[in-house]
Amino acid sequence: MKKYLLILVVILVSCKARQKISWNIGITEATVKLPAGASKATLLNRVRIAYPYNNTKSTVLNPNVNEIMDGAMNGLRRQIRNQKFLSIYSESSNFKSTANGKFPSALTPSNVSQIAMGSDVMVSLEMLDQAINDSYTIEIRRENLGNNIYKEVDYYIGKRNVNLNLGWRLYDVKTGAILDQWEQQENYFYEAESRERIRATNLLNSNYRGELLNLGTRYGSRYASRISPTAHLSTREIYSAGNDYLVSGIKAVRTENWEEAEKQWLRGIKKETKTKKLAMLYHNLAMNEERKRNNPQAREYAKLAANQHPLGVKTQSVIGC
């Protein structure tokens, strides 16, 4: 048992000694041009859903469902993170306006700076309208009873239409100016069918919230793609433990101070005597040169790592891949 615990500890220490680090290798610009140097965003939801309870022409008795709104914010948030260019600095739900399909008055520069202090841009969901209607049709179908005998039966086709309007604004936090105003519209529907009308209705209702959530998520994602560039990253593992120079190097990398990290690794090469740790230091230097797009020097460091210890062979295998 003690032997197994020792092996587990060694594996855990080995994993902890390496950390994944990413850096930009290219940017795909978005449709909307952001202010120079923009990197932090605040997300704002200004929509308040408060329809009269009789404002529906469906079996959904309460039209005040938040799934489209929540899905839009979730989709916006997730897509911004996926594109790895903007970081989400804060979120807010101030300055609410009742959903009516019209844009509310734009926020003033002082409003924007109050909500989004510390950010570069603010992405705001400002307008929403969702009208829900049900309709039913009957289709006559042939049902096979066997022995080439067919029977005509009625099928109820339930169709739920969602007329959707969404409106977004993008603000420059520094100036309060509107960088973009965009409206999204769709007459979305989904269907359910059954031999019994009540069964078709129940199927519509069981899928209702999921359909609306997915609909909102799709449109939130689309707006994120419109306003946020996409960063293309390269990810590599570097060694972060084993001696003081590896530890100091990873601390510098975490603060984006690659120059200091390189100094620490070069110092380590002059002081370290153990071949495995020398290979780790050369590995990190190779990854740094690849980050700088200096592949010839990266390959040279990878070769030196391989000369010190077998783990350097893996370093050679990843350079330029």
Side-chain angles (χ1 to χ4, degrees):
M1 182 66 177
K2 290 182 179 179
K3 181 172 69 173
Y4 295 143
L5 286 174
L6 179 61
I7 292 172
L8 178 60
V9 170
V10 170
I11 291 173
L12 290 175
V13 170
S14 176
C15 293
K16 192 175 180 180
R18 298 191 303 272
Q19 292 191 21
K20 288 186 177 180
I21 300 295
S22 299
W23 56 83
N24 287 339
I25 57 174
I27 299 292
T28 299
E29 296 295 339
T31 302
V32 177
K33 186 174 180 60
L34 298 180
S39 62
K40 293 181 287 187
T42 289
L43 308 187
L44 174 65
N45 178 9
R46 295 187 65 190
V47 172
R48 179 195 303 112
I49 298 177
Y51 293 108
Y53 270 66
N54 60 358
N55 186 32
T56 178
K57 296 180 181 178
S58 78
T59 57
V60 179
L61 299 180
N62 181 5
N64 296 310
V65 289
N66 295 330
E67 272 71 15
I68 289 179
M69 179 180 71
D70 292 344
M73 295 304 296
N74 289 341
L76 176 74
R77 185 184 303 109
R78 184 176 63 191
Q79 189 63 29
I80 285 177
R81 287 173 176 159
N82 287 345
Q83 292 179 212
K84 301 182 186 303
F85 184 87
L86 290 173
S87 62
I88 299 174
Y89 184 76
S90 63
E91 299 191 33
S92 177
S93 56
N94 292 334
F95 298 98
K96 289 284 191 177
S97 178
T98 300
N100 61 6
K102 298 179 181 178
F103 275 101
S105 298
L107 296 173
T108 65
S110 62
N111 295 151
V112 173
S113 61
Q114 174 188 336
I115 300 167
M117 183 179 297
S119 292
D120 302 304
V121 294
M122 184 172 72
V123 191
S124 178
L125 175 61
E126 304 225 339
M127 182 266 282
L128 182 145
D129 192 33
Q130 53 191 33
I132 304 160
N133 300 285
D134 289 353
S135 61
Y136 294 87
T137 57
I138 298 176
E139 290 186 5
I140 300 174
R141 299 180 181 176
R142 297 177 68 192
E143 189 174 89
N144 189 348
L145 302 179
N147 296 322
N148 292 324
I149 299 174
Y150 295 88
K151 176 185 177 181
E152 289 188 344
V153 295
D154 293 340
Y155 267 82
Y156 288 91
I157 312 298
K159 182 177 181 180
R160 179 160 292 165
N161 287 276
V162 182
N163 291 313
L164 172 65
N165 287 332
L166 280 174
W168 306 84
R169 283 184 178 132
L170 176 68
Y171 294 88
D172 184 335
V173 174
K174 184 177 181 180
T175 65
I178 296 175
L179 300 173
D180 184 53
Q181 178 173 301
W182 203 46
E183 185 173 350
Q184 299 165 313
Q185 297 179 331
E186 182 174 349
N187 183 10
Y188 176 79
F189 71 89
Y190 66 98
E191 295 180 327
E193 62 179 51
S194 177
R195 290 277 300 274
E196 300 174 355
R197 176 169 172 150
I198 186 63
R199 172 63 176 159
T201 299
N202 289 339
L203 289 172
L204 288 176
N205 290 342
S206 66
N207 295 328
Y208 177 51
R209 293 184 181 274
E211 291 282 347
L212 296 190
L213 187 67
N214 291 337
L215 180 62
T217 299
R218 186 165 75 247
Y219 279 103
S221 297
R222 286 182 185 176
Y223 192 63
S225 297
R226 174 178 170 83
I227 56 98
S228 175
T230 301
H232 304 285
L233 304 181
S234 178
T235 301
R236 292 285 186 263
E237 285 188 339
I238 66 172
Y239 291 97
S240 57
N243 60 29
D244 291 343
Y245 305 102
L246 292 168
V247 173
S248 298
I250 190 62
K251 287 180 180 178
V253 167
R254 290 188 189 124
T255 61
E256 298 292 325
N257 191 349
W258 284 91
E259 184 177 349
E260 176 60 25
E262 183 178 11
K263 289 179 182 177
Q264 291 295 327
W265 297 329
L266 288 171
R267 287 175 191 155
I269 287 171
K270 295 176 181 178
K271 300 288 186 179
E272 184 59 67
T273 58
K274 295 182 179 179
T275 57
K276 184 175 181 180
K277 293 177 182 178
L278 276 169
M280 292 177 178
L281 290 161
Y282 279 123
H283 169 91
N284 288 2
L285 288 165
M287 297 302 104
N288 184 41
E289 292 302 324
E290 186 182 42
R291 180 190 65 85
K292 294 190 289 186
R293 302 186 183 184
N294 185 359
N295 282 348
Q297 184 60 57
R299 284 191 287 269
E300 185 62 30
Y301 278 133
K303 181 180 178 181
L304 291 170
N307 289 341
Q308 295 293 331
H309 190 273
L311 67 80
V313 176
K314 183 178 179 181
T315 306
Q316 289 181 304
S317 70
V318 300
I319 295 297
C321 296

